[in-house]
Amino acid sequence: MAVTEPAPPAQPVAHEGILRRQSLRESAARTYARSLPIVPVRARGLTIEGADGRRYLDCLSGAGTLALGHNHPVVLEAIKKVLASGAPLHVLDLATPVKDAFTTELFATLPRPLADDARIQFCGPAGTDAVEAALKLVRTATGRSGLLAFTGAYHGMTAGALDASGGAADVRVTRLPYPQNYRCPFGAGGERGAELAARWTENLLDDPKGGVPAPAGMILEPVQGEGGVIPAPDGWLRRMREITASRSIPLIADEVQTGVGRTGAFWAVEHSGIVPDVMVLSKAIGGSLPLAVIVYRADLDVWQPGAHAGTFRGNQLAMAAGAATLSFVRENRLAERAATLGARMLGQLQGLAAAHRCIGDVRGRGLMIGVELVNPDSDDTQADVPPADPVLAAAVQRECLRRGLIVELGGRHCAVVRLLPPLTLTDEQAQAVLDRFADSLEAAVSAPHLRHDTGPSQ
Protein backbone atom coordinates (compact mmCIF):
# COMPACT_ATOMS: atom_id res chain seq x y z
CA MET A 1 0.00 0.00 0.00
CA ALA A 2 1.85 3.07 -1.22
CA VAL A 3 1.41 6.43 0.47
CA THR A 4 -0.14 7.88 -2.68
CA GLU A 5 -2.29 4.86 -3.50
CA PRO A 6 -6.04 5.71 -3.37
CA ALA A 7 -8.23 3.93 -0.86
CA PRO A 8 -10.70 1.36 -2.23
CA PRO A 9 -14.44 1.84 -1.80
CA ALA A 10 -15.65 1.42 1.77
CA GLN A 11 -16.63 -2.11 2.65
CA PRO A 12 -20.10 -2.87 4.05
CA VAL A 13 -18.91 -3.22 7.64
CA ALA A 14 -20.87 -1.78 10.58
CA HIS A 15 -18.03 0.52 11.62
CA GLU A 16 -20.01 2.62 14.10
CA GLY A 17 -21.76 -0.44 15.50
CA ILE A 18 -18.47 -2.16 16.25
CA LEU A 19 -17.17 0.92 18.05
CA ARG A 20 -20.40 1.25 20.02
CA ARG A 21 -20.36 -2.39 21.11
CA GLN A 22 -16.71 -2.10 22.14
CA SER A 23 -17.59 0.88 24.30
CA LEU A 24 -20.43 -1.05 25.95
CA ARG A 25 -18.62 -4.35 26.46
CA GLU A 26 -14.94 -3.67 27.10
CA SER A 27 -13.26 -2.61 30.31
CA ALA A 28 -12.91 1.04 31.26
CA ALA A 29 -9.15 0.30 31.32
CA ARG A 30 -8.97 0.30 27.50
CA THR A 31 -6.60 2.99 26.28
CA TYR A 32 -5.72 3.28 22.59
CA ALA A 33 -9.34 2.81 21.52
CA ARG A 34 -10.29 6.06 23.23
CA SER A 35 -7.99 8.33 21.23
CA LEU A 36 -7.99 6.17 18.07
CA PRO A 37 -11.66 5.39 17.27
CA ILE A 38 -10.93 3.29 14.19
CA VAL A 39 -11.75 -0.31 13.24
CA PRO A 40 -8.75 -1.82 11.41
CA VAL A 41 -9.67 -4.52 8.88
CA ARG A 42 -6.55 -4.73 6.70
CA ALA A 43 -2.95 -3.65 7.08
CA ARG A 44 0.35 -3.84 5.26
CA GLY A 45 3.62 -2.18 6.17
CA LEU A 46 2.98 1.35 7.42
CA THR A 47 -0.64 1.42 6.30
CA ILE A 48 -3.84 0.44 8.10
CA GLU A 49 -7.21 0.39 6.37
CA GLY A 50 -10.27 0.95 8.54
CA ALA A 51 -13.71 -0.59 8.19
CA ASP A 52 -14.94 2.77 6.90
CA GLY A 53 -12.51 2.58 3.97
CA ARG A 54 -10.12 5.23 5.28
CA ARG A 55 -6.37 4.64 5.28
CA TYR A 56 -3.94 5.63 7.97
CA LEU A 57 -0.17 5.83 8.27
CA ASP A 58 0.59 3.92 11.46
CA CYS A 59 3.35 5.56 13.50
CA LEU A 60 2.38 3.63 16.62
CA SER A 61 3.41 0.22 15.22
CA GLY A 62 1.80 -1.75 18.02
CA ALA A 63 3.62 0.43 20.59
CA GLY A 64 6.90 -0.50 18.91
CA THR A 65 6.09 -4.17 18.38
CA LEU A 66 5.98 -4.10 14.58
CA ALA A 67 9.61 -3.68 13.56
CA LEU A 68 8.74 -4.62 9.96
CA GLY A 69 5.30 -3.04 9.95
CA HIS A 70 2.05 -4.90 9.48
CA ASN A 71 1.96 -8.33 7.82
CA HIS A 72 5.46 -8.30 6.38
CA PRO A 73 5.88 -11.13 3.84
CA VAL A 74 8.78 -12.80 5.70
CA VAL A 75 6.71 -12.88 8.88
CA LEU A 76 3.63 -14.29 7.15
CA GLU A 77 5.74 -16.92 5.38
CA ALA A 78 7.35 -18.03 8.64
CA ILE A 79 3.95 -18.43 10.28
CA LYS A 80 2.50 -20.29 7.30
CA LYS A 81 5.49 -22.65 7.26
CA VAL A 82 4.89 -23.70 10.86
CA LEU A 83 1.16 -24.14 10.28
CA ALA A 84 1.73 -26.20 7.15
CA SER A 85 4.30 -28.45 8.85
CA GLY A 86 1.86 -29.93 11.34
CA ALA A 87 4.16 -28.95 14.22
CA PRO A 88 2.54 -28.59 17.65
CA LEU A 89 1.61 -25.01 18.46
CA HIS A 90 1.70 -25.47 22.23
CA VAL A 91 4.72 -27.18 23.80
CA LEU A 92 5.25 -25.56 27.22
CA ASP A 93 9.07 -25.31 27.51
CA LEU A 94 9.98 -28.38 25.46
CA ALA A 95 12.74 -28.13 22.88
CA THR A 96 11.61 -27.77 19.25
CA PRO A 97 13.35 -26.97 15.97
CA VAL A 98 11.44 -23.65 15.83
CA LYS A 99 12.57 -22.68 19.30
CA ASP A 100 16.16 -23.69 18.55
CA ALA A 101 16.17 -21.56 15.39
CA PHE A 102 14.78 -18.55 17.28
CA THR A 103 17.30 -18.86 20.10
CA THR A 104 20.19 -19.24 17.65
CA GLU A 105 19.14 -16.14 15.71
CA LEU A 106 18.60 -14.12 18.87
CA PHE A 107 22.02 -15.01 20.28
CA ALA A 108 23.60 -14.00 16.96
CA THR A 109 22.35 -10.45 17.48
CA LEU A 110 23.25 -9.99 21.16
CA PRO A 111 26.29 -8.05 22.39
CA ARG A 112 29.04 -10.64 21.97
CA PRO A 113 30.39 -10.65 25.56
CA LEU A 114 26.88 -11.49 26.78
CA ALA A 115 26.01 -13.98 24.05
CA ASP A 116 29.21 -15.95 24.68
CA ASP A 117 28.17 -16.66 28.27
CA ALA A 118 24.40 -16.33 28.35
CA ARG A 119 21.29 -18.19 29.40
CA ILE A 120 17.78 -17.49 28.15
CA GLN A 121 14.56 -17.74 30.12
CA PHE A 122 11.29 -17.87 28.19
CA CYS A 123 8.68 -16.01 30.21
CA GLY A 124 5.00 -15.27 29.87
CA PRO A 125 3.85 -13.58 26.66
CA ALA A 126 4.26 -9.89 27.63
CA GLY A 127 7.17 -7.60 28.36
CA THR A 128 5.97 -7.05 31.91
CA ASP A 129 6.26 -10.81 32.49
CA ALA A 130 9.90 -10.66 31.45
CA VAL A 131 10.50 -7.72 33.79
CA GLU A 132 9.01 -9.74 36.65
CA ALA A 133 11.30 -12.65 35.77
CA ALA A 134 14.35 -10.37 35.70
CA LEU A 135 13.57 -8.91 39.12
CA LYS A 136 12.96 -12.36 40.54
CA LEU A 137 16.18 -13.67 39.00
CA VAL A 138 18.48 -11.02 40.51
CA ARG A 139 16.79 -11.27 43.89
CA THR A 140 17.27 -15.03 43.86
CA ALA A 141 20.86 -14.80 42.67
CA THR A 142 21.97 -12.11 45.14
CA GLY A 143 19.82 -13.00 48.13
CA ARG A 144 18.84 -9.33 48.39
CA SER A 145 15.44 -7.73 47.93
CA GLY A 146 16.01 -4.02 47.21
CA LEU A 147 15.93 -2.51 43.73
CA LEU A 148 17.28 0.61 42.03
CA ALA A 149 15.06 2.23 39.39
CA PHE A 150 14.66 5.65 37.81
CA THR A 151 12.28 8.56 37.68
CA GLY A 152 10.12 8.48 34.55
CA ALA A 153 10.57 4.73 34.08
CA TYR A 154 7.96 2.41 32.63
CA HIS A 155 8.48 -1.34 32.92
CA GLY A 156 4.99 -2.80 32.63
CA MET A 157 1.63 -3.20 34.36
CA THR A 158 2.12 -6.12 36.74
CA ALA A 159 2.86 -5.51 40.42
CA GLY A 160 6.64 -5.74 40.48
CA ALA A 161 7.03 -3.91 37.17
CA LEU A 162 4.76 -1.11 38.41
CA ASP A 163 6.81 -0.80 41.60
CA ALA A 164 9.86 -0.11 39.43
CA SER A 165 8.01 2.38 37.20
CA GLY A 166 7.90 6.12 37.68
CA GLY A 167 4.21 6.30 38.52
CA ALA A 168 4.37 3.91 41.49
CA ALA A 169 2.11 5.05 44.34
CA ASP A 170 3.47 2.64 46.95
CA VAL A 171 7.22 3.01 46.52
CA ARG A 172 9.23 -0.08 47.43
CA VAL A 173 12.30 0.70 45.37
CA THR A 174 14.98 3.37 45.55
CA ARG A 175 14.23 5.99 42.91
CA LEU A 176 17.21 7.60 41.17
CA PRO A 177 17.32 10.64 38.84
CA TYR A 178 17.26 9.87 35.12
CA PRO A 179 19.24 12.51 33.20
CA GLN A 180 17.53 14.62 30.57
CA ASN A 181 18.48 17.79 28.80
CA TYR A 182 15.17 19.63 28.46
CA ARG A 183 13.80 19.15 31.98
CA CYS A 184 16.97 18.34 33.88
CA PRO A 185 16.16 17.62 37.55
CA PHE A 186 19.27 19.59 38.53
CA GLY A 187 18.62 22.51 36.20
CA ALA A 188 21.89 21.90 34.36
CA GLY A 189 21.23 19.61 31.40
CA GLY A 190 23.83 18.21 29.03
CA GLU A 191 26.96 16.51 30.29
CA ARG A 192 26.85 18.43 33.57
CA GLY A 193 23.33 17.22 34.35
CA ALA A 194 24.28 13.62 33.51
CA GLU A 195 27.35 13.88 35.74
CA LEU A 196 25.27 15.17 38.65
CA ALA A 197 22.78 12.32 38.20
CA ALA A 198 25.59 9.76 38.24
CA ARG A 199 27.22 11.38 41.27
CA TRP A 200 23.90 11.35 43.15
CA THR A 201 23.58 7.62 42.49
CA GLU A 202 27.14 6.85 43.56
CA ASN A 203 26.96 8.94 46.71
CA LEU A 204 23.62 7.45 47.75
CA LEU A 205 24.92 3.89 47.43
CA ASP A 206 28.13 4.65 49.34
CA ASP A 207 26.58 6.78 52.07
CA PRO A 208 26.40 4.62 55.24
CA LYS A 209 23.46 6.77 56.33
CA GLY A 210 21.85 6.87 52.89
CA GLY A 211 19.25 4.30 53.86
CA VAL A 212 19.98 2.10 50.84
CA PRO A 213 21.31 -1.37 51.63
CA ALA A 214 23.06 -3.29 48.86
CA PRO A 215 20.30 -3.80 46.26
CA ALA A 216 19.52 -6.90 44.22
CA GLY A 217 19.78 -5.01 40.95
CA MET A 218 19.39 -1.80 38.94
CA ILE A 219 16.85 -1.66 36.10
CA LEU A 220 16.92 1.05 33.44
CA GLU A 221 15.72 1.84 29.92
CA PRO A 222 18.42 2.97 27.46
CA VAL A 223 15.75 5.28 26.06
CA GLN A 224 12.74 6.05 28.22
CA GLY A 225 9.72 5.55 26.00
CA GLU A 226 6.58 6.21 28.00
CA GLY A 227 8.62 8.67 30.08
CA GLY A 228 8.78 10.98 27.06
CA VAL A 229 11.30 9.53 24.56
CA ILE A 230 14.38 10.47 26.57
CA PRO A 231 17.65 8.85 25.44
CA ALA A 232 20.11 8.10 28.21
CA PRO A 233 23.47 9.81 27.58
CA ASP A 234 26.07 7.23 26.58
CA GLY A 235 28.55 8.47 29.15
CA TRP A 236 25.96 8.22 31.92
CA LEU A 237 25.11 4.65 30.91
CA ARG A 238 28.79 3.76 31.11
CA ARG A 239 28.91 5.28 34.60
CA MET A 240 25.90 3.22 35.66
CA ARG A 241 27.68 0.11 34.38
CA GLU A 242 30.84 1.02 36.32
CA ILE A 243 28.91 1.83 39.50
CA THR A 244 26.94 -1.41 39.46
CA ALA A 245 29.85 -3.63 38.44
CA SER A 246 32.15 -2.31 41.16
CA ARG A 247 29.46 -2.98 43.79
CA SER A 248 28.34 -6.40 42.47
CA ILE A 249 24.88 -5.07 41.59
CA PRO A 250 23.38 -6.80 38.53
CA LEU A 251 22.43 -4.28 35.82
CA ILE A 252 19.15 -4.99 34.01
CA ALA A 253 18.58 -3.29 30.65
CA ASP A 254 14.91 -3.09 29.68
CA GLU A 255 15.03 -3.31 25.88
CA VAL A 256 11.37 -4.22 25.44
CA GLN A 257 10.70 -1.17 23.26
CA THR A 258 14.20 -0.11 22.23
CA GLY A 259 15.39 -3.46 20.85
CA VAL A 260 15.64 -4.93 17.34
CA GLY A 261 17.02 -1.88 15.56
CA ARG A 262 14.52 0.69 16.83
CA THR A 263 17.13 3.23 18.05
CA GLY A 264 19.64 2.84 15.24
CA ALA A 265 21.57 -0.03 16.81
CA PHE A 266 20.29 -3.58 17.08
CA TRP A 267 20.15 -3.15 20.87
CA ALA A 268 20.13 0.32 22.38
CA VAL A 269 22.87 -0.53 24.91
CA GLU A 270 25.26 -0.88 21.97
CA HIS A 271 25.34 2.92 21.50
CA SER A 272 27.22 3.22 24.79
CA GLY A 273 29.14 -0.05 24.48
CA ILE A 274 27.95 -1.38 27.83
CA VAL A 275 27.13 -5.03 28.42
CA PRO A 276 24.35 -5.48 31.00
CA ASP A 277 24.02 -8.53 33.21
CA VAL A 278 20.39 -9.05 32.20
CA MET A 279 18.47 -7.96 29.10
CA VAL A 280 14.67 -7.87 29.09
CA LEU A 281 13.28 -8.47 25.60
CA SER A 282 9.77 -8.53 24.14
CA LYS A 283 7.65 -6.63 21.58
CA ALA A 284 9.54 -6.82 18.25
CA ILE A 285 11.29 -10.13 19.06
CA GLY A 286 7.98 -11.94 18.43
CA GLY A 287 7.50 -10.51 14.95
CA SER A 288 4.07 -9.08 15.96
CA LEU A 289 3.05 -12.06 18.13
CA PRO A 290 3.35 -12.37 21.95
CA LEU A 291 6.82 -13.39 23.11
CA ALA A 292 9.02 -12.29 26.02
CA VAL A 293 12.40 -13.51 27.27
CA ILE A 294 15.24 -12.52 29.52
CA VAL A 295 18.86 -13.17 28.57
CA TYR A 296 21.43 -13.07 31.35
CA ARG A 297 24.93 -14.04 32.49
CA ALA A 298 25.31 -17.76 33.17
CA ASP A 299 26.50 -17.24 36.74
CA LEU A 300 23.10 -15.72 37.60
CA ASP A 301 21.35 -18.91 36.52
CA VAL A 302 20.50 -20.17 40.00
CA TRP A 303 16.88 -21.09 39.34
CA GLN A 304 15.58 -24.34 40.74
CA PRO A 305 13.52 -26.36 38.22
CA GLY A 306 10.09 -24.78 38.02
CA ALA A 307 11.16 -21.69 39.96
CA HIS A 308 9.81 -19.53 37.16
CA ALA A 309 7.34 -20.97 34.68
CA GLY A 310 4.43 -20.05 32.43
CA THR A 311 1.96 -22.04 30.37
CA PHE A 312 2.35 -19.91 27.25
CA ARG A 313 6.13 -19.52 27.18
CA GLY A 314 6.50 -21.85 24.18
CA ASN A 315 4.64 -19.84 21.53
CA GLN A 316 5.84 -21.54 18.34
CA LEU A 317 4.25 -19.10 15.91
CA ALA A 318 5.79 -16.15 17.74
CA MET A 319 9.22 -17.79 17.75
CA ALA A 320 9.01 -18.44 14.01
CA ALA A 321 7.82 -14.90 13.29
CA GLY A 322 10.45 -13.54 15.67
CA ALA A 323 13.33 -15.45 14.11
CA ALA A 324 12.26 -14.22 10.66
CA THR A 325 12.10 -10.63 11.93
CA LEU A 326 15.47 -10.74 13.69
CA SER A 327 17.10 -12.23 10.61
CA PHE A 328 15.52 -9.70 8.24
CA VAL A 329 16.54 -6.72 10.38
CA ARG A 330 20.08 -8.05 10.73
CA GLU A 331 20.63 -9.07 7.09
CA ASN A 332 19.11 -5.89 5.65
CA ARG A 333 20.92 -3.59 8.09
CA LEU A 334 17.66 -1.95 9.14
CA ALA A 335 19.21 -0.62 12.36
CA GLU A 336 21.61 1.46 10.29
CA ARG A 337 18.72 2.56 8.11
CA ALA A 338 16.78 3.62 11.22
CA ALA A 339 19.76 5.69 12.39
CA THR A 340 20.05 7.51 9.06
CA LEU A 341 16.35 8.11 8.46
CA GLY A 342 15.69 8.95 12.11
CA ALA A 343 18.41 11.61 12.10
CA ARG A 344 16.88 13.13 8.97
CA MET A 345 13.39 13.18 10.51
CA LEU A 346 14.74 14.71 13.74
CA GLY A 347 16.41 17.42 11.70
CA GLN A 348 13.18 18.31 9.89
CA LEU A 349 11.23 18.33 13.14
CA GLN A 350 13.81 20.62 14.71
CA GLY A 351 13.33 22.93 11.74
CA LEU A 352 9.59 22.86 12.44
CA ALA A 353 10.30 23.68 16.09
CA ALA A 354 12.19 26.81 15.04
CA ALA A 355 8.96 28.12 13.54
CA HIS A 356 6.65 27.07 16.37
CA ARG A 357 7.22 28.21 19.94
CA CYS A 358 4.81 25.54 21.16
CA ILE A 359 7.41 22.85 20.34
CA GLY A 360 9.58 22.81 23.42
CA ASP A 361 11.88 19.97 22.47
CA VAL A 362 12.49 17.42 19.73
CA ARG A 363 14.42 14.33 20.77
CA GLY A 364 14.91 10.65 20.21
CA ARG A 365 17.18 8.06 18.71
CA GLY A 366 16.72 6.26 15.42
CA LEU A 367 13.03 5.75 14.70
CA MET A 368 12.01 6.39 18.31
CA ILE A 369 11.10 10.08 18.16
CA GLY A 370 9.33 12.47 20.53
CA VAL A 371 8.08 16.05 20.14
CA GLU A 372 7.26 17.77 23.45
CA LEU A 373 4.55 20.41 23.18
CA VAL A 374 4.53 23.29 25.65
CA ASN A 375 2.66 26.47 26.51
CA PRO A 376 5.17 29.23 25.66
CA ASP A 377 2.85 31.94 27.00
CA SER A 378 2.70 30.61 30.54
CA ASP A 379 2.81 33.14 33.38
CA ASP A 380 5.34 31.03 35.29
CA THR A 381 8.45 33.19 35.01
CA GLN A 382 10.43 31.04 37.46
CA ALA A 383 10.44 27.92 35.29
CA ASP A 384 13.55 27.09 33.26
CA VAL A 385 11.37 25.92 30.36
CA PRO A 386 7.67 26.40 29.53
CA PRO A 387 5.17 23.98 31.11
CA ALA A 388 4.00 20.96 29.16
CA ASP A 389 0.75 21.39 27.22
CA PRO A 390 -1.16 18.08 27.21
CA VAL A 391 -4.31 19.77 25.87
CA LEU A 392 -2.47 20.93 22.76
CA ALA A 393 -0.87 17.50 22.39
CA ALA A 394 -4.28 15.82 22.46
CA ALA A 395 -5.56 18.28 19.86
CA VAL A 396 -2.57 17.55 17.61
CA GLN A 397 -3.19 13.81 17.97
CA ARG A 398 -6.83 14.28 16.90
CA GLU A 399 -5.81 16.44 13.94
CA CYS A 400 -3.27 13.79 12.92
CA LEU A 401 -5.98 11.13 12.95
CA ARG A 402 -8.24 13.33 10.81
CA ARG A 403 -5.40 13.51 8.29
CA GLY A 404 -4.78 9.77 8.34
CA LEU A 405 -1.81 9.66 10.69
CA ILE A 406 -1.73 7.55 13.85
CA VAL A 407 0.53 8.86 16.62
CA GLU A 408 0.75 8.20 20.34
CA LEU A 409 1.16 10.54 23.30
CA GLY A 410 3.53 10.00 26.21
CA GLY A 411 5.75 11.79 28.67
CA ARG A 412 5.33 12.87 32.26
CA HIS A 413 2.34 15.07 31.41
CA CYS A 414 1.16 13.25 28.26
CA ALA A 415 2.40 16.15 26.16
CA VAL A 416 4.96 14.34 24.00
CA VAL A 417 3.82 13.28 20.53
CA ARG A 418 5.57 9.99 19.84
CA LEU A 419 6.56 8.58 16.44
CA LEU A 420 7.39 4.85 16.25
CA PRO A 421 7.18 4.00 12.53
CA PRO A 422 8.33 0.59 11.27
CA LEU A 423 11.97 0.17 10.33
CA THR A 424 10.85 -0.51 6.75
CA LEU A 425 9.73 3.13 6.41
CA THR A 426 10.57 4.58 2.99
CA ASP A 427 11.80 8.11 2.32
CA GLU A 428 8.45 8.94 0.68
CA GLN A 429 6.51 7.62 3.65
CA ALA A 430 8.70 9.49 6.12
CA GLN A 431 8.02 12.74 4.30
CA ALA A 432 4.28 12.02 4.25
CA VAL A 433 4.37 11.43 8.02
CA LEU A 434 6.19 14.71 8.65
CA ASP A 435 3.93 16.67 6.31
CA ARG A 436 0.79 15.38 7.98
CA PHE A 437 2.21 16.09 11.42
CA ALA A 438 3.16 19.65 10.43
CA ASP A 439 -0.33 20.28 9.01
CA SER A 440 -1.94 18.87 12.16
CA LEU A 441 0.19 21.05 14.42
CA GLU A 442 -0.67 24.13 12.39
CA ALA A 443 -4.38 23.32 12.56
CA ALA A 444 -4.33 22.75 16.33
CA VAL A 445 -2.38 25.94 17.00
CA SER A 446 -4.33 28.21 14.67
CA ALA A 447 -7.77 27.03 15.82
CA PRO A 448 -7.77 27.07 19.65
CA HIS A 449 -11.33 25.69 19.79
CA LEU A 450 -9.99 22.39 18.45
CA ARG A 451 -8.21 21.88 21.77
CA HIS A 452 -11.59 21.32 23.41
CA ASP A 453 -12.93 18.98 20.71
CA THR A 454 -12.64 15.62 22.39
CA GLY A 455 -13.93 13.72 19.37
CA PRO A 456 -15.98 10.52 19.61
CA SER A 457 -16.30 9.15 23.15
CA GLN A 458 -15.14 5.56 23.27
Side-chain angles (χ1 to χ4, degrees):
M1 297 181 185
V3 170
T4 56
E5 186 179 328
Q11 300 298 311
V13 179
H15 171 262
E16 294 298 332
I18 291 173
L19 289 176
R20 183 174 61 255
R21 286 189 291 277
Q22 180 188 40
S23 178
L24 291 171
R25 295 169 176 170
E26 288 192 27
S27 164
R30 67 192 183 282
T31 53
Y32 299 107
R34 295 180 183 276
S35 57
L36 302 172
I38 63 176
V39 180
V41 292
R42 275 174 293 277
R44 183 68 175 267
L46 178 69
T47 306
I48 288 179
E49 182 186 329
D52 58 358
R54 291 196 65 199
R55 282 195 172 157
Y56 302 87
L57 303 183
D58 181 11
C59 277
L60 178 55
S61 299
T65 298
L66 305 171
L68 304 183
H70 294 275
N71 292 326
H72 193 280
V74 302
V75 171
L76 297 182
E77 183 58 31
I79 293 171
K80 290 175 183 176
K81 186 176 179 180
V82 174
L83 292 174
S85 72
L89 299 183
H90 191 288
V91 295
L92 297 172
D93 67 352
L94 301 180
T96 71
V98 172
K99 184 178 187 178
D100 182 62
F102 169 79
T103 304
T104 300
E105 182 60 43
L106 177 64
F107 273 49
T109 70
L110 294 172
R112 186 48 46 200
L114 179 60
D116 287 344
D117 181 41
R119 297 291 184 272
I120 184 170
Q121 168 75 27
F122 288 85
C123 310
T128 191
D129 301 313
V131 169
E132 296 285 350
L135 303 184
K136 186 175 175 181
L137 173 73
V138 296
R139 284 170 170 151
T140 302
T142 64
R144 310 170 199 148
S145 60
L147 185 69
L148 303 173
F150 291 87
T151 54
Y154 177 77
H155 297 292
M157 295 299 290
T158 50
L162 280 173
D163 282 347
S165 298
D170 180 16
V171 178
R172 284 173 278 183
V173 302
T174 299
R175 197 77 56 195
L176 301 170
Y178 192 95
Q180 50 176 311
N181 288 334
Y182 190 60
R183 297 190 186 277
C184 176
F186 303 104
E191 292 184 6
R192 178 59 177 163
E195 169 59 28
L196 290 172
R199 184 176 298 181
W200 176 280
T201 299
E202 196 165 24
N203 287 349
L204 187 64
L205 290 174
D206 292 342
D207 185 350
K209 296 294 185 180
V212 181
M218 173 189 283
I219 184 168
L220 57 77
E221 300 158 275
V223 180
Q224 286 194 341
E226 304 304 317
V229 193
I230 302 174
D234 292 339
W236 176 83
L237 274 176
R238 288 190 284 269
R239 283 288 301 278
M240 292 303 102
R241 175 67 284 189
E242 292 167 2
I243 289 169
T244 53
S246 64
R247 292 160 180 79
S248 299
I249 301 170
L251 178 62
I252 305 167
D254 182 342
E255 291 254 18
V256 168
Q257 190 169 103
T258 55
V260 195
R262 169 63 55 189
T263 69
F266 208 101
W267 306 105
V269 292
E270 293 177 309
H271 292 292
S272 63
I274 71 165
V275 179
D277 302 297
V278 185
M279 290 179 67
V280 180
L281 314 176
S282 188
K283 289 192 184 291
I285 68 163
S288 76
L289 299 179
L291 188 62
V293 306
I294 57 173
V295 180
Y296 50 91
R297 288 193 347 253
D299 64 297
L300 294 174
D301 195 31
V302 297
W303 297 117
Q304 294 298 311
H308 194 78
T311 302
F312 293 102
R313 56 188 159 149
N315 190 332
Q316 297 294 282
L317 293 183
M319 291 177 191
T325 298
L326 294 169
S327 175
F328 191 87
V329 171
R330 178 175 57 81
E331 292 175 1
N332 290 276
R333 304 177 67 86
L334 293 190
E336 291 90 333
R337 165 69 176 167
T340 300
L341 186 54
R344 191 183 310 156
M345 293 177 72
L346 279 170
Q348 287 193 241
L349 287 168
Q350 286 160 354
L352 186 66
H356 291 84
R357 295 170 57 235
C358 63
I359 298 181
D361 194 30
V362 176
R363 55 185 178 256
R365 205 156 201 174
L367 290 176
M368 191 172 181
I369 297 170
V371 180
E372 181 167 343
L373 300 180
V374 300
N375 179 3
D377 300 316
S378 168
D379 295 331
D380 186 359
T381 58
Q382 301 301 313
D384 294 330
V385 295
D389 194 339
V391 176
L392 175 59
V396 170
Q397 185 186 42
R398 289 192 297 272
E399 289 302 304
C400 283
L401 193 65
R402 289 188 175 114
R403 288 163 176 76
L405 176 63
I406 296 173
V407 298
E408 173 60 330
L409 302 181
R412 266 69 162 181
H413 305 285
C414 213
V416 177
V417 179
R418 302 186 58 202
L419 300 177
L420 290 166
L423 309 188
T424 50
L425 189 71
T426 67
D427 291 349
E428 178 193 19
Q429 290 172 334
Q431 192 58 55
V433 166
L434 295 176
D435 289 345
R436 294 185 193 190
F437 174 75
D439 290 346
S440 301
L441 178 69
E442 188 66 41
V445 170
S446 61
H449 69 277
L450 293 177
R451 300 190 187 195
H452 305 290
D453 175 13
T454 57
S457 176
Q458 298 298 331

